[in-house]
Amino acid sequence: MSELTWAVADTWVMAKRNLTVWLRVPAYLVFTVVQPTIFTLLFRYVFGGAIHADVPGGYVNYLLPGIIGQTAAFASFATAISLAVEVQKGVIDRMRAMPMARSAFLGGRLLADVVRMTITILVIVGVGYAVGFRFHGGFGRAVAMVALAIVLGAAVCCISATIGLWLKDEESTQAFGMIWMFPLTFVSSAFVPVSSMPGWLQAFAVNQPITHVVNAMRALALGLPLHDDLWLSAVWLTGIFVVFAPLAVRVYKRVS
Amino acid sequence: MSDVAVVLEGITKSFGDVEALRGVDLTVPRGSVLGVLGPNGAGKTTAVRILATLLRPTSGTAYVEGHDVVRDAAAVRRLIGLTGQATALVDELTGRENLVMVGRLHHLPKTEAESRAAALLEQFDLVDAADRTAKTYSGGMRRRLDLAASLVGQPKVLFLDEPTTGLDPRSRIAMWDVIRDLVREGTTLLLTTQYLDEADELADNIVVFDRGKVIAEGTSDALKDRVGGDVVAFSVASAAAATQAVDAVANVGDGAPVVSGLDVSVAVGSRGSEALLDVVRRLDAAKVTVTGLGIRRPSLDDVFLALTGHVAEEESA
Ligand SMILES: Nc1ncnc2c1ncn2[C@@H]1O[C@H](COP(=O)(O)OP(=O)(O)OP(=O)(O)O)[C@@H](O)[C@H]1O
Ligand SMILES: [Mg+2]
């Protein structure tokens, strides 16, 4: 077999391993399924009444793409933490001393996380439908929205993977993740229209990637015009991949 | 150099200001066991990680079976097995699943990976626990599974970094048996340890690391000789008997017998058993009654102390 075929095979072995672990730890399942469900219900019924959103179908339709975007970004928490733990435990040492493809460790992690994310997104869409959310742009655009969310999640995974491999410690990775992930997802258009924020905060909220991606997702889901959000999302996400994917690989190769 | 499996030449490694290795040379003949002995922070793990292609040396070269560990790392990885200081298991997978996964990553076909896993579980006495998650294993079982995982690829050269640290005495001895079996099959082994008796038990040759340097090397016996060899020691019942005994064995040892209270010791170099018989005959002839007569070999602890001026357990940093 060629080197590429082996790289694919190794990536698949690693992805399967990660998914098996995920299925066997109840806490991980809770995080990926129960937590987003609670978030959806919380925003739909507790905060939703106080938030005015000018989209067809009301706040629940505004909210769903936002929740999905936020969940996709948050899914990378698990990526960062499991990588940090595996450095700490020396699992990475064993992998790096084996003749397996160098790309497979991170590739397998990313692949498993994408699968995990897809499941979470489908769960949220299901819960959303139960509480009144409806797609308005047709099947193709609905699929495009889900795909965009997954690409966002994968991009954020690259950032988180770099951080996890760099910090090499479960607690600090978790703490650091909070510090950048919460502002990034909450100071965006994910849950509330940015026009409701004070001006200085708006300046950040309007121009940060999560807002562009969530706006594009929302436009896709609800059949609204995309404006500049789709190509700006594409630029941001490509930028993140170009910078952080090689960086994660570099940190992985050097990690000690 | 076809009979040499591992070579380090002038290896240094710095982490920022910390000089973990400061010019290490060593060789391991094929099929032999090298024990790398040293206190915490001596640089043992760093040396192993360089050989296992996990770290680049700051300077110097290292070869495994003739392959440069930096330039030809991929070839080295095909030949080695590594058991790190911490066990590298996936806790949520069963023992069997851990081994099969490693086999797949060594590019064994599925059925072969499975039969290899089964054989190793058998060999390491883990059959009963094979289908339990590794999380439920005891410390000794985890160590054995971890060692089994490093053997899946049938390595020619095996690196074991402190394989028995944290095990109770029984598990340690069981681990030693497992390691001896491997060596009998012809695997070249480099083993690090802080336990002096472990190096003594397992290694053909020993190098002693201290603060990033090799401060002594040789067989266990040769190292012990450097501290002065064997001592024949015994105790007597009274001061008068001590004087009598000293007179009786005056000419047996190197220099005069040493008396400390009612204990008498005679330094006898490497002539242990022969000197012991001699002492027995002379004491018997002089009708001195003694207790606790025996040869005391210097332990590697003595060696370490003599070589470094500090005891092995002490933090050297
Ligand atoms: N990644 C690293 N970054 C910075 N310093 C390091 C790193 N790895 C090792 N060191 C330092 O290098 C020195 C040698 O460490 P090493 O782990 O090789 O020692 P060791 O002999 O294996 O000790 P132990 O018996 O405790 O395992 C120590 O001072 C250690 O702090
Ligand atoms: Mg060590």
Side-chain angles (χ1 to χ4, degrees):
Chain A
M1 278 211 264
S2 76
E3 218 154 286
L4 185 67
T5 335
W6 278 129
V8 173
D10 291 348
T11 304
W12 178 235
V13 172
M14 292 306 293
K16 233 168 56 181
R17 152 203 194 257
N18 294 335
L19 288 170
T20 311
V21 171
W22 174 59
L23 285 173
R24 286 188 191 167
V25 181
Y28 294 169
L29 271 178
V30 168
F31 272 120
T32 27
V33 177
V34 178
Q35 191 185 329
T37 304
I38 291 175
F39 256 68
T40 309
L41 297 178
L42 205 62
F43 273 90
R44 167 76 177 88
Y45 293 112
V46 179
F47 304 120
I51 302 169
H52 177 72
D54 199 12
V55 294
Y59 185 67
V60 68
N61 277 357
Y62 183 91
L63 170 71
L64 245 274
I67 285 268
I68 289 174
Q70 187 237 18
T71 307
F74 267 45
S76 74
F77 252 112
T79 313
I81 290 170
S82 14
L83 285 173
V85 169
E86 291 195 316
V87 179
Q88 237 173 357
K89 280 175 47 179
V91 176
I92 282 194
D93 270 6
R94 153 138 320 135
M95 299 292 167
R96 286 165 70 226
M98 287 203 303
M100 66 187 267
R102 297 295 254 175
S103 57
F105 189 82
L106 288 177
R109 171 63 58 193
L110 195 62
L111 182 59
D113 287 341
V114 164
V115 171
R116 191 164 52 86
M117 234 178 316
T118 310
I119 294 171
T120 307
I121 290 170
L122 295 178
V123 168
I124 299 176
V125 170
V127 173
Y129 257 76
V131 298
F133 166 77
R134 292 293 177 269
F135 281 114
H136 284 284
F139 185 71
R141 292 190 86 171
V143 172
M145 186 213 76
V146 172
L148 184 55
I150 291 172
V151 177
L152 168 69
V156 182
C157 272
C158 292
I159 304 178
S160 289
T162 310
I163 293 172
L165 289 170
W166 179 57
L167 291 177
K168 301 181 268 191
D169 170 79
E170 189 175 353
E171 279 79 32
S172 9
T173 305
Q174 196 149 10
F176 194 75
M178 299 276 193
I179 289 172
W180 69 277
M181 202 98 77
F182 269 89
L184 203 64
T185 52
F186 281 95
V187 187
S188 78
S189 64
F191 301 101
V192 296
V194 291
S195 56
S196 66
M197 299 175 194
W200 56 273
L201 204 55
Q202 258 186 55
F204 170 75
V206 170
N207 292 302
Q208 62 117 323
I210 300 277
T211 296
H212 291 305
V213 176
V214 167
N215 285 350
M217 285 169 57
R218 194 171 284 133
L220 287 169
L222 304 180
L224 304 171
L226 280 158
H227 302 298
D228 290 336
D229 287 317
L230 194 57
W231 73 264
L232 279 172
S233 301
V235 170
W236 266 108
L237 296 177
T238 310
I240 292 174
F241 276 117
V242 167
V243 174
F244 283 94
L247 201 58
V249 173
R250 219 180 113 95
V251 181
Y252 167 69
K253 283 187 177 163
R254 296 279 165 92
V255 74
S256 53
Chain B
M1 298 271 280
S2 63
D3 51 346
V4 173
V6 176
V7 183
L8 288 183
E9 282 170 355
I11 290 286
T12 69
K13 177 70 193 179
S14 307
F15 298 101
D17 294 341
V18 182
E19 290 179 275
L21 296 176
R22 300 184 295 159
V24 171
D25 298 282
L26 59 82
T27 56
V28 189
R30 179 167 305 134
S32 73
V33 181
L34 179 73
V36 174
L37 187 64
N40 287 131
K44 306 181 294 294
T45 298
T46 305
V48 166
R49 289 171 55 87
I50 286 173
L51 283 167
T53 76
L54 300 175
L55 276 181
R56 281 162 170 265
T58 305
S59 67
T61 44
Y63 301 92
V64 174
E65 292 285 349
H67 301 284
D68 186 304
V69 298
V70 176
R71 275 179 295 140
D72 210 0
V76 172
R77 286 184 206 120
R78 276 193 285 275
L79 297 170
I80 62 169
L82 168 69
T83 301
Q85 202 165 339
T87 52
L89 304 168
V90 184
D91 283 341
E92 289 79 15
L93 298 185
T94 66
R96 190 188 305 282
E97 286 169 336
N98 266 290
L99 295 182
V100 171
M101 181 194 75
V102 173
R104 298 293 281 158
L105 294 173
H106 272 101
H107 301 161
L108 300 178
K110 193 159 192 278
T111 49
E112 209 175 304
E114 279 164 1
S115 58
R116 183 96 188 106
L120 284 164
L121 289 165
E122 181 90 36
Q123 183 184 346
F124 286 82
D125 197 18
L126 290 168
V127 175
D128 292 338
D131 298 305
R132 271 174 23 209
T133 54
K135 194 168 47 204
T136 66
Y137 283 24
S138 71
M141 290 161 81
R142 292 179 65 85
R143 284 276 174 188
R144 294 208 300 278
L145 183 61
D146 202 39
L147 179 55
S150 66
L151 296 174
V152 169
Q154 296 183 296
K156 291 203 156 54
V157 180
L158 185 61
F159 301 111
L160 303 182
D161 196 2
E162 302 196 17
T164 67
T165 299
L167 295 187
D168 63 43
R170 242 180 73 197
S171 309
R172 273 183 86 205
I173 289 166
M175 195 72 175
W176 287 353
D177 287 338
V178 168
I179 292 171
R180 279 196 202 96
D181 285 342
L182 291 176
V183 174
R184 215 167 290 139
E185 289 162 20
T187 315
T188 305
L189 176 60
L190 187 153
L191 157 112
T192 79
T193 181
Q194 296 184 40
Y195 298 121
L196 310 157
D197 57 335
E198 184 160 287
D200 207 3
E201 282 286 329
L202 297 173
D204 301 312
N205 282 293
I206 295 174
V207 299
V208 183
F209 273 38
D210 190 40
R211 294 164 204 194
K213 281 199 145 137
V214 174
I215 54 164
E217 61 182 304
T219 61
S220 164
D221 286 337
L223 287 178
K224 287 173 180 171
D225 282 346
R226 284 182 59 172
V227 197
D230 300 342
V231 170
V232 173
F234 55 85
S235 304
V236 289
S238 66
T243 317
Q244 255 185 308
V246 167
D247 286 344
V249 300
N251 299 323
V252 178
D254 309 330
V258 178
V259 184
S260 146
L262 298 176
D263 298 327
V264 181
S265 59
V266 190
V268 296
S270 57
R271 310 180 314 276
S273 328
E274 180 198 327
L276 179 65
L277 282 173
D278 203 10
V279 167
V280 171
R281 278 190 216 104
R282 283 161 191 259
L283 289 173
D284 192 41
K287 301 206 165 20
V288 184
T289 313
V290 303
T291 55
L293 174 70
I295 305 181
R296 192 166 67 78
R297 307 228 58 205
S299 69
L300 278 166
D301 289 293
D302 299 331
V303 176
F304 206 88
L305 190 58
L307 290 171
T308 65
H310 57 90
V311 293
E313 277 73 26
E314 213 170 62
E315 187 71 38
S316 76

